[in-house]
Coordinates of all heavy atoms in Angstrom, one line a residue:
S996 N 45.0 -87.9 -103.8 CA 46.0 -87.9 -102.7 C 46.6 -89.3 -102.7 O 46.0 -90.3 -103.1 CB 45.3 -87.6 -101.3 OG 46.2 -87.8 -100.3
L997 N 47.8 -89.4 -102.1 CA 48.4 -90.7 -101.8 C 48.1 -91.0 -100.4 O 47.7 -90.2 -99.6 CB 49.9 -90.6 -102.1 CG 50.4 -90.2 -103.5 CD1 51.9 -90.5 -103.6 CD2 49.7 -90.9 -104.6
I998 N 48.3 -92.3 -100.0 CA 48.0 -92.7 -98.7 C 49.2 -93.6 -98.2 O 49.8 -94.4 -99.0 CB 46.7 -93.4 -98.5 CG1 46.3 -93.6 -97.1 CG2 46.7 -94.7 -99.4 CD1 44.9 -94.0 -96.9
I999 N 49.5 -93.5 -96.9 CA 50.6 -94.4 -96.4 C 49.9 -95.6 -95.7 O 49.0 -95.4 -94.9 CB 51.4 -93.6 -95.3 CG1 52.2 -92.5 -96.1 CG2 52.4 -94.5 -94.6 CD1 52.9 -91.5 -95.2
T1000 N 50.3 -96.8 -96.1 CA 49.7 -98.0 -95.6 C 50.4 -98.4 -94.3 O 51.5 -97.9 -93.9 CB 49.8 -99.1 -96.6 OG1 51.1 -99.6 -96.6 CG2 49.4 -98.7 -98.0
D1001 N 49.8 -99.4 -93.6 CA 50.4 -99.9 -92.4 C 51.7 -100.7 -92.6 O 52.3 -101.2 -91.6 CB 49.4 -100.7 -91.6 CG 48.9 -101.9 -92.3 OD1 49.5 -102.3 -93.3 OD2 47.9 -102.5 -91.8
E1002 N 52.2 -100.7 -93.8 CA 53.5 -101.3 -94.0 C 54.6 -100.3 -93.6 O 55.8 -100.6 -93.7 CB 53.7 -101.8 -95.4 CG 52.9 -103.0 -95.8 CD 52.7 -103.2 -97.3 OE1 51.7 -102.7 -97.8 OE2 53.6 -103.8 -97.9
C1003 N 54.2 -99.1 -93.4 CA 55.2 -98.0 -93.0 C 56.1 -98.5 -91.8 O 55.6 -98.9 -90.8 CB 54.4 -96.8 -92.7 SG 55.4 -95.4 -92.0
I1004 N 57.4 -98.2 -92.0 CA 58.3 -98.6 -90.9 C 58.8 -97.4 -90.2 O 59.8 -97.4 -89.4 CB 59.5 -99.4 -91.5 CG1 60.3 -98.6 -92.5 CG2 59.1 -100.8 -92.0 CD1 61.6 -99.2 -93.0
N1005 N 58.1 -96.3 -90.3 CA 58.4 -95.1 -89.5 C 59.9 -94.6 -89.7 O 60.6 -94.2 -88.8 CB 58.1 -95.3 -88.0 CG 56.7 -95.3 -87.7 OD1 55.9 -94.5 -88.2 ND2 56.3 -96.4 -87.1
C1006 N 60.4 -94.7 -91.0 CA 61.8 -94.3 -91.2 C 62.0 -92.9 -91.3 O 63.2 -92.4 -91.2 CB 62.3 -95.1 -92.4 SG 61.7 -94.3 -94.0
D1007 N 60.9 -92.1 -91.5 CA 61.0 -90.6 -91.6 C 61.7 -90.0 -92.8 O 62.1 -88.9 -92.9 CB 61.7 -90.1 -90.3 CG 61.7 -88.5 -90.2 OD1 60.7 -88.0 -90.5 OD2 62.7 -88.0 -89.9
V1008 N 62.0 -90.9 -93.8 CA 62.6 -90.4 -95.0 C 61.7 -89.5 -95.9 O 62.1 -88.6 -96.5 CB 63.2 -91.6 -95.8 CG1 63.6 -91.2 -97.2 CG2 64.3 -92.2 -95.1
C1009 N 60.5 -89.9 -95.9 CA 59.5 -89.2 -96.8 C 59.2 -87.8 -96.3 O 59.0 -86.8 -97.1 CB 58.2 -90.0 -97.0 SG 57.4 -90.3 -95.4
E1010 N 59.0 -87.6 -95.0 CA 58.5 -86.3 -94.4 C 59.2 -85.1 -95.0 O 58.6 -84.1 -95.4 CB 58.5 -86.5 -92.9 CG 57.7 -85.3 -92.2 CD 58.6 -84.2 -91.9 OE1 59.9 -84.4 -91.6 OE2 58.1 -83.0 -91.9
P1011 N 60.5 -85.1 -94.9 CA 61.2 -83.8 -95.4 C 61.1 -83.6 -96.9 O 61.4 -82.5 -97.3 CB 62.6 -83.9 -94.9 CG 62.8 -85.4 -94.6 CD 61.5 -86.0 -94.3
E1012 N 60.8 -84.6 -97.6 CA 60.8 -84.5 -99.1 C 59.5 -83.9 -99.6 O 59.4 -83.5 -100.8 CB 60.9 -85.9 -99.7 CG 62.2 -86.7 -99.4 CD 63.5 -85.9 -100.0 OE1 63.3 -85.2 -101.0 OE2 64.4 -85.9 -99.3
C1013 N 58.4 -83.8 -98.8 CA 57.1 -83.3 -99.3 C 57.2 -81.8 -99.4 O 57.3 -81.1 -98.4 CB 56.0 -83.7 -98.3 SG 54.4 -83.2 -98.9
P1014 N 56.9 -81.3 -100.6 CA 56.9 -79.9 -100.9 C 55.8 -79.1 -100.3 O 55.8 -77.9 -100.1 CB 56.9 -79.7 -102.4 CG 56.2 -81.0 -102.9 CD 56.6 -82.0 -101.9
N1015 N 54.7 -79.9 -99.9 CA 53.5 -79.4 -99.3 C 53.4 -79.5 -97.8 O 52.4 -79.2 -97.3 CB 52.3 -79.9 -100.0 CG 52.2 -79.6 -101.5 OD1 52.6 -78.5 -101.9 ND2 51.8 -80.5 -102.3
H1016 N 54.4 -80.1 -97.2 CA 54.3 -80.4 -95.8 C 53.1 -81.2 -95.4 O 52.4 -80.9 -94.4 CB 54.4 -79.1 -95.0 CG 55.6 -78.3 -95.2 ND1 56.9 -78.6 -94.9 CD2 55.8 -77.1 -96.0 CE1 57.8 -77.8 -95.3 NE2 57.1 -76.9 -96.0
A1017 N 52.7 -82.1 -96.3 CA 51.5 -82.9 -96.1 C 51.7 -84.2 -95.2 O 50.8 -84.8 -94.8 CB 51.0 -83.4 -97.4
I1018 N 53.0 -84.5 -95.0 CA 53.3 -85.7 -94.2 C 53.7 -85.4 -92.8 O 54.5 -84.5 -92.6 CB 54.5 -86.5 -94.9 CG1 54.1 -86.8 -96.4 CG2 54.8 -87.8 -94.2 CD1 55.3 -87.4 -97.2
S1019 N 53.1 -86.2 -91.9 CA 53.5 -86.0 -90.5 C 53.5 -87.4 -89.8 O 52.9 -88.3 -90.3 CB 52.6 -85.0 -89.8 OG 51.2 -85.5 -89.8
Q1020 N 54.1 -87.4 -88.6 CA 54.1 -88.6 -87.8 C 52.8 -88.8 -87.1 O 52.4 -87.9 -86.3 CB 55.3 -88.6 -86.8 CG 55.4 -90.0 -86.2 CD 56.8 -90.2 -85.5 OE1 57.4 -89.2 -85.2 NE2 57.1 -91.4 -85.4
G1021 N 52.0 -89.8 -87.3 CA 50.7 -90.0 -86.7 C 51.0 -90.9 -85.4 O 52.1 -91.1 -84.9
A1022 N 49.9 -91.4 -84.9 CA 50.0 -92.2 -83.7 C 50.8 -93.4 -83.8 O 51.6 -93.8 -82.9 CB 48.6 -92.5 -83.2
E1023 N 50.7 -94.1 -84.9 CA 51.4 -95.4 -85.1 C 52.3 -95.3 -86.3 O 53.4 -95.8 -86.2 CB 50.4 -96.5 -85.4 CG 49.3 -96.5 -84.4 CD 49.1 -97.9 -83.8 OE1 49.1 -98.9 -84.5 OE2 49.0 -98.0 -82.6
I1024 N 51.9 -94.7 -87.4 CA 52.7 -94.6 -88.6 C 52.6 -93.1 -89.1 O 51.8 -92.3 -88.7 CB 52.2 -95.6 -89.7 CG1 50.8 -95.4 -90.0 CG2 52.6 -97.0 -89.3 CD1 50.3 -96.2 -91.2
Y1025 N 53.4 -92.9 -90.2 CA 53.3 -91.6 -90.8 C 52.0 -91.5 -91.6 O 51.5 -92.5 -92.0 CB 54.5 -91.4 -91.7 CG 55.8 -90.9 -90.9 CD1 56.4 -91.8 -90.0 CD2 56.2 -89.6 -91.1 CE1 57.5 -91.3 -89.3 CE2 57.3 -89.1 -90.3 CZ 57.9 -90.0 -89.4 OH 58.9 -89.6 -88.7
E1026 N 51.6 -90.2 -91.7 CA 50.3 -89.9 -92.3 C 50.4 -88.9 -93.3 O 51.2 -87.9 -93.2 CB 49.2 -89.5 -91.3 CG 49.0 -90.6 -90.2 CD 48.0 -90.1 -89.1 OE1 47.9 -88.9 -88.9 OE2 47.6 -91.0 -88.4
I1027 N 49.5 -88.9 -94.4 CA 49.4 -87.9 -95.4 C 48.1 -87.1 -95.1 O 47.1 -87.7 -95.1 CB 49.5 -88.5 -96.8 CG1 50.9 -89.0 -97.0 CG2 49.1 -87.4 -97.8 CD1 51.0 -89.7 -98.4
N1028 N 48.2 -85.8 -95.1 CA 47.0 -85.0 -95.1 C 46.5 -84.8 -96.4 O 47.1 -84.2 -97.2 CB 47.3 -83.6 -94.4 CG 46.1 -82.7 -94.3 OD1 45.0 -83.0 -95.0 ND2 46.2 -81.7 -93.5
P1029 N 45.3 -85.4 -96.8 CA 44.8 -85.4 -98.1 C 44.5 -83.9 -98.6 O 44.4 -83.7 -99.8 CB 43.6 -86.2 -98.1 CG 43.2 -86.4 -96.7 CD 44.4 -86.2 -95.9
D1030 N 44.2 -83.1 -97.7 CA 44.0 -81.6 -98.1 C 45.2 -80.9 -98.6 O 45.2 -79.9 -99.2 CB 43.4 -80.9 -96.9 CG 42.0 -81.4 -96.5 OD1 41.3 -81.9 -97.3 OD2 41.7 -81.3 -95.3
L1031 N 46.4 -81.5 -98.2 CA 47.6 -80.8 -98.6 C 48.4 -81.6 -99.7 O 49.3 -81.1 -100.3 CB 48.5 -80.7 -97.4 CG 48.1 -79.7 -96.3 CD1 49.1 -79.7 -95.2 CD2 47.9 -78.3 -96.9
C1032 N 48.1 -82.9 -99.8 CA 48.8 -83.7 -100.9 C 48.3 -83.4 -102.3 O 47.1 -83.6 -102.6 CB 48.7 -85.2 -100.6 SG 49.5 -86.2 -101.8
T1033 N 49.2 -82.8 -103.1 CA 48.8 -82.6 -104.6 C 49.4 -83.7 -105.4 O 49.4 -83.5 -106.7 CB 49.3 -81.2 -105.0 OG1 50.8 -81.2 -105.0 CG2 48.8 -80.1 -104.2
E1034 N 49.8 -84.8 -104.8 CA 50.6 -85.9 -105.5 C 51.8 -85.2 -106.3 O 52.3 -85.7 -107.3 CB 49.7 -86.6 -106.5 CG 48.5 -87.3 -105.8 CD 47.5 -88.1 -106.7 OE1 47.9 -88.3 -107.9 OE2 46.4 -88.3 -106.2
C1035 N 52.3 -84.1 -105.7 CA 53.4 -83.3 -106.1 C 53.2 -82.5 -107.4 O 54.1 -81.9 -107.9 CB 54.7 -84.2 -106.2 SG 55.4 -84.5 -104.7
V1036 N 51.9 -82.5 -107.8 CA 51.6 -81.6 -108.9 C 51.9 -80.1 -108.5 O 51.6 -79.7 -107.5 CB 50.1 -81.8 -109.3 CG1 49.6 -80.6 -110.3 CG2 49.8 -83.1 -109.9
G1037 N 52.5 -79.4 -109.5 CA 52.9 -78.0 -109.2 C 54.3 -77.9 -108.8 O 55.0 -76.9 -108.8
H1038 N 54.9 -79.0 -108.3 CA 56.3 -79.0 -107.8 C 57.2 -80.0 -108.5 O 58.3 -79.6 -109.0 CB 56.3 -79.4 -106.3 CG 55.7 -78.4 -105.4 ND1 56.3 -77.2 -105.0 CD2 54.5 -78.3 -104.9 CE1 55.5 -76.5 -104.2 NE2 54.4 -77.2 -104.1
F1039 N 56.8 -81.2 -108.7 CA 57.7 -82.3 -109.3 C 56.8 -83.1 -110.3 O 55.6 -83.2 -110.2 CB 58.3 -83.1 -108.2 CG 59.1 -82.4 -107.3 CD1 58.6 -82.1 -106.0 CD2 60.4 -82.1 -107.6 CE1 59.4 -81.4 -105.1 CE2 61.2 -81.4 -106.7 CZ 60.7 -81.0 -105.4
D1040 N 57.5 -83.8 -111.2 CA 56.8 -84.7 -112.1 C 56.4 -86.0 -111.4 O 55.4 -86.6 -111.9 CB 57.8 -85.1 -113.3 CG 58.0 -83.9 -114.2 OD1 57.2 -83.0 -114.2 OD2 59.1 -83.9 -114.9
E1041 N 57.1 -86.4 -110.4 CA 56.7 -87.6 -109.7 C 56.5 -87.4 -108.2 O 57.2 -86.5 -107.7 CB 57.8 -88.7 -109.8 CG 58.2 -89.0 -111.3 CD 57.2 -89.9 -111.9 OE1 56.4 -90.6 -111.2 OE2 57.1 -89.9 -113.1
P1042 N 55.6 -88.1 -107.6 CA 55.5 -88.0 -106.1 C 56.8 -88.3 -105.4 O 57.4 -89.4 -105.5 CB 54.4 -89.0 -105.8 CG 53.6 -89.2 -107.0 CD 54.7 -89.0 -108.1
Q1043 N 57.3 -87.3 -104.7 CA 58.6 -87.4 -104.1 C 58.7 -88.4 -103.0 O 59.6 -89.1 -102.8 CB 59.1 -86.0 -103.5 CG 59.2 -85.0 -104.7 CD 60.2 -85.4 -105.7 OE1 61.4 -85.4 -105.4 NE2 59.8 -85.8 -106.9
C1044 N 57.6 -88.5 -102.2 CA 57.6 -89.5 -101.1 C 57.7 -90.9 -101.6 O 58.4 -91.7 -101.1 CB 56.3 -89.3 -100.3 SG 54.8 -89.4 -101.2
Q1045 N 56.9 -91.2 -102.8 CA 57.0 -92.5 -103.3 C 58.4 -92.9 -103.8 O 58.9 -94.0 -103.7 CB 56.1 -92.6 -104.6 CG 54.7 -93.0 -104.3 CD 53.9 -93.1 -105.6 OE1 54.3 -92.6 -106.7 NE2 52.7 -93.8 -105.6
Q1046 N 59.1 -91.8 -104.3 CA 60.5 -92.1 -104.8 C 61.5 -92.5 -103.7 O 62.4 -93.3 -103.9 CB 61.1 -90.7 -105.4 CG 60.2 -90.1 -106.5 CD 60.4 -90.9 -107.8 OE1 61.4 -91.2 -108.3 NE2 59.2 -91.3 -108.4
V1047 N 61.2 -92.0 -102.5 CA 62.2 -92.3 -101.4 C 61.8 -93.4 -100.5 O 62.6 -93.9 -99.8 CB 62.5 -91.0 -100.6 CG1 63.2 -90.0 -101.6 CG2 61.3 -90.5 -100.0
C1048 N 60.5 -93.7 -100.5 CA 60.1 -94.8 -99.5 C 60.7 -96.1 -99.7 O 60.6 -96.7 -100.8 CB 58.6 -94.9 -99.5 SG 58.0 -96.1 -98.3
P1049 N 61.5 -96.6 -98.7 CA 62.2 -97.8 -98.9 C 61.4 -99.1 -98.9 O 61.8 -100.2 -99.4 CB 63.2 -97.9 -97.7 CG 62.5 -97.1 -96.7 CD 61.7 -96.0 -97.4
V1050 N 60.1 -99.0 -98.5 CA 59.3 -100.2 -98.4 C 58.0 -100.1 -99.4 O 57.2 -100.9 -99.4 CB 58.8 -100.5 -97.0 CG1 60.0 -101.0 -96.2 CG2 58.1 -99.4 -96.4
D1051 N 58.1 -99.0 -100.2 CA 57.0 -98.8 -101.2 C 55.6 -98.9 -100.7 O 54.7 -99.6 -101.2 CB 57.2 -100.0 -102.2 CG 57.5 -99.5 -103.6 OD1 57.2 -98.3 -103.9 OD2 58.0 -100.2 -104.5
C1052 N 55.4 -98.1 -99.6 CA 54.0 -98.3 -99.0 C 53.2 -97.0 -99.1 O 52.4 -96.7 -98.3 CB 54.2 -98.6 -97.5 SG 54.9 -97.3 -96.5
I1053 N 53.4 -96.3 -100.2 CA 52.7 -95.0 -100.4 C 51.9 -95.1 -101.8 O 52.3 -94.4 -102.7 CB 53.5 -93.8 -100.4 CG1 54.6 -93.9 -99.2 CG2 52.7 -92.5 -100.1 CD1 55.5 -92.7 -99.1
P1054 N 50.8 -95.8 -101.8 CA 50.1 -95.9 -103.1 C 49.1 -94.8 -103.3 O 48.9 -93.9 -102.3 CB 49.3 -97.2 -102.9 CG 49.1 -97.3 -101.5 CD 50.3 -96.7 -100.8
H1055 N 48.4 -94.7 -104.4 CA 47.3 -93.8 -104.6 C 46.2 -94.2 -103.6 O 45.9 -95.5 -103.4 CB 46.8 -93.7 -106.0 CG 47.7 -92.9 -106.9 ND1 48.8 -93.5 -107.6 CD2 47.7 -91.6 -107.2 CE1 49.3 -92.5 -108.3 NE2 48.7 -91.4 -108.1
D1056 N 45.5 -93.3 -103.0 CA 44.4 -93.6 -102.1 C 43.1 -93.8 -103.0 O 42.6 -92.9 -103.6 CB 44.1 -92.4 -101.2 CG 43.0 -92.6 -100.2 OD1 42.4 -93.7 -100.3 OD2 42.9 -91.8 -99.2
P1057 N 42.6 -95.1 -103.0 CA 41.5 -95.4 -103.8 C 40.2 -94.6 -103.4 O 39.3 -94.4 -104.2 CB 41.3 -96.9 -103.7 CG 42.1 -97.3 -102.4 CD 43.1 -96.2 -102.3
N1058 N 40.2 -94.1 -102.1 CA 39.1 -93.3 -101.6 C 39.3 -91.9 -101.9 O 38.4 -91.0 -101.4 CB 38.8 -93.6 -100.2 CG 38.4 -95.0 -99.9 OD1 37.6 -95.6 -100.6 ND2 39.1 -95.7 -98.9
N1059 N 40.3 -91.5 -102.6 CA 40.6 -90.1 -102.8 C 41.3 -89.9 -104.1 O 42.3 -89.4 -104.2 CB 41.6 -89.6 -101.7 CG 41.2 -88.3 -101.1 OD1 40.5 -87.5 -101.7 ND2 41.5 -88.1 -99.7
V1060 N 40.5 -90.3 -105.2 CA 41.1 -90.2 -106.5 C 40.8 -88.8 -107.1 O 39.7 -88.3 -107.0 CB 40.4 -91.3 -107.5 CG1 40.9 -91.1 -108.9 CG2 40.7 -92.7 -106.9
E1061 N 41.8 -88.2 -107.6 CA 41.7 -86.8 -108.1 C 42.3 -86.7 -109.5 O 43.3 -87.4 -109.8 CB 42.4 -85.8 -107.1 CG 41.8 -85.8 -105.8 CD 42.8 -85.3 -104.7 OE1 43.7 -86.1 -104.4 OE2 42.6 -84.2 -104.2
S1062 N 41.7 -85.8 -110.3 CA 42.3 -85.6 -111.6 C 43.5 -84.7 -111.5 O 43.7 -84.0 -110.5 CB 41.3 -85.0 -112.6 OG 41.0 -83.7 -112.1
K1063 N 44.3 -84.6 -112.6 CA 45.4 -83.6 -112.6 C 44.9 -82.2 -112.4 O 45.6 -81.4 -111.8 CB 46.1 -83.7 -114.0 CG 47.1 -84.9 -114.0 CD 48.5 -84.4 -113.7 CE 49.6 -85.4 -113.9 NZ 49.7 -86.5 -112.9
E1064 N 43.7 -81.9 -113.0 CA 43.2 -80.6 -112.8 C 42.8 -80.2 -111.4 O 43.0 -79.1 -110.9 CB 41.9 -80.5 -113.8 CG 42.2 -80.4 -115.3 CD 42.6 -81.7 -115.8 OE1 42.3 -82.8 -115.3 OE2 43.4 -81.7 -116.9
Q1065 N 42.2 -81.3 -110.7 CA 41.8 -81.0 -109.4 C 43.1 -80.9 -108.5 O 43.1 -80.0 -107.6 CB 41.0 -82.3 -108.8 CG 39.6 -82.3 -109.4 CD 38.9 -83.6 -108.9 OE1 39.4 -84.7 -109.2 NE2 37.8 -83.5 -108.3
L1066 N 44.1 -81.7 -108.8 CA 45.4 -81.6 -108.0 C 46.0 -80.2 -108.2 O 46.6 -79.6 -107.3 CB 46.3 -82.7 -108.4 CG 45.9 -84.1 -108.0 CD1 46.6 -85.2 -108.7 CD2 45.9 -84.3 -106.4
H1067 N 45.9 -79.7 -109.5 CA 46.6 -78.5 -109.8 C 45.8 -77.3 -109.1 O 46.4 -76.4 -108.6 CB 46.6 -78.2 -111.3 CG 47.5 -77.0 -111.6 ND1 46.9 -75.8 -111.9 CD2 48.8 -76.8 -111.7 CE1 47.9 -74.9 -112.1 NE2 49.1 -75.5 -112.0
A1068 N 44.4 -77.4 -109.0 CA 43.7 -76.5 -108.4 C 44.0 -76.4 -106.9 O 44.1 -75.4 -106.2 CB 42.2 -76.7 -108.6
K1069 N 44.2 -77.6 -106.3 CA 44.6 -77.7 -104.9 C 46.0 -77.0 -104.7 O 46.2 -76.2 -103.7 CB 44.7 -79.1 -104.5 CG 44.7 -79.3 -102.9 CD 45.1 -80.7 -102.5 CE 44.1 -81.7 -102.9 NZ 44.4 -83.1 -102.4
Y1070 N 46.9 -77.2 -105.6 CA 48.2 -76.6 -105.5 C 48.1 -75.1 -105.5 O 48.8 -74.4 -104.7 CB 49.1 -77.1 -106.7 CG 50.2 -76.2 -107.0 CD1 51.4 -76.2 -106.1 CD2 50.3 -75.4 -108.1 CE1 52.5 -75.3 -106.4 CE2 51.3 -74.6 -108.4 CZ 52.5 -74.5 -107.6 OH 53.5 -73.7 -107.8
V1071 N 47.2 -74.5 -106.4 CA 47.1 -73.1 -106.5 C 46.5 -72.6 -105.2 O 46.9 -71.5 -104.7 CB 46.1 -72.7 -107.7 CG1 45.7 -71.3 -107.7 CG2 46.8 -73.1 -109.0
K1072 N 45.6 -73.3 -104.6 CA 44.9 -72.9 -103.4 C 45.9 -72.9 -102.2 O 46.0 -71.9 -101.4 CB 43.8 -73.8 -103.1 CG 42.7 -73.3 -102.1 CD 41.5 -74.2 -102.0 CE 41.0 -74.3 -100.6 NZ 40.4 -75.6 -100.3
I1073 N 46.7 -73.9 -102.2 CA 47.7 -74.0 -101.1 C 48.8 -72.9 -101.2 O 49.1 -72.2 -100.3 CB 48.4 -75.3 -101.1 CG1 47.4 -76.5 -100.7 CG2 49.6 -75.4 -100.2 CD1 48.0 -77.9 -101.0
S1074 N 49.2 -72.6 -102.5 CA 50.2 -71.6 -102.7 C 49.6 -70.2 -102.4 O 50.4 -69.4 -101.8 CB 50.6 -71.6 -104.2 OG 51.0 -72.9 -104.6
A1075 N 48.4 -70.0 -102.6 CA 47.8 -68.7 -102.3 C 47.7 -68.5 -100.8 O 47.9 -67.4 -100.3 CB 46.4 -68.6 -102.9
A1076 N 47.5 -69.6 -100.1 CA 47.4 -69.5 -98.6 C 48.7 -69.3 -97.9 O 48.8 -68.9 -96.8 CB 46.6 -70.7 -98.1
A1077 N 49.8 -69.8 -98.6 CA 51.1 -69.8 -98.0 C 51.7 -68.4 -97.8 O 51.3 -67.5 -98.5 CB 52.1 -70.7 -98.8
Ligands
SF4_1274 FE1 53.8 -84.8 -100.4 FE2 54.0 -85.2 -102.9 FE3 53.9 -87.3 -101.3 FE4 51.7 -85.8 -101.7 S1 52.8 -87.1 -103.2 S2 52.5 -86.5 -99.7 S3 52.6 -83.8 -102.0 S4 55.6 -85.7 -101.4
SF4_1275 FE1 56.9 -94.8 -93.7 FE2 57.8 -95.0 -96.2 FE3 57.6 -92.6 -95.1 FE4 59.4 -94.3 -94.3 S1 59.3 -93.3 -96.3 S2 58.1 -93.0 -92.9 S3 58.4 -96.2 -94.5 S4 55.9 -93.9 -95.6

């Protein structure tokens, strides 16, 4: 999963770009639900939120490192539930 850091300026540009609806407005800044973020695997070649964030505050979450296979499995699971 990716994670939004406290450098987020609450611009709301990333939220509508997420194909998995993993991004929402939290108490202080925007947040990514790690259960829904596939790092855009299954939808796009590059993480869409990273592409649009004007302050570059959406790195990989070091506490939530996943392989392409794990991310793809998550994509399949989310798609089946949708
Ligand atoms: Fe959504 Fe993709 Fe960003 Fe994850 S990397 S939060 S799936 S836009
Ligand atoms: Fe925050 Fe970046 Fe999303 Fe804007 S695009 S809300 S700065 S994470």
Side-chain angles (χ1 to χ4, degrees):
S996 175
L997 304 191
I998 190 166
I999 295 173
T1000 73
D1001 60 11
E1002 288 161 272
C1003 172
I1004 57 170
N1005 291 308
C1006 73
D1007 187 42
V1008 166
C1009 57
E1010 190 269 328
E1012 298 298 326
C1013 180
N1015 295 320
H1016 305 287
I1018 304 174
S1019 61
Q1020 189 162 24
E1023 309 234 315
I1024 54 172
Y1025 277 69
E1026 297 173 344
I1027 291 175
N1028 180 343
D1030 293 333
L1031 293 178
C1032 175
T1033 64
E1034 300 180 15
C1035 283
V1036 167
H1038 293 280
F1039 300 100
D1040 290 339
E1041 300 288 337
Q1043 298 299 290
C1044 55
Q1045 271 184 342
Q1046 303 285 309
V1047 298
C1048 179
V1050 294
D1051 240 343
C1052 69
I1053 320 181
H1055 283 90
D1056 183 353
N1058 295 317
N1059 228 329
V1060 177
E1061 297 154 290
S1062 69
K1063 279 265 186 280
E1064 289 72 25
Q1065 287 173 307
L1066 291 165
H1067 191 261
K1069 195 193 292 184
Y1070 161 72
V1071 170
K1072 197 170 144 211
I1073 293 169
S1074 302

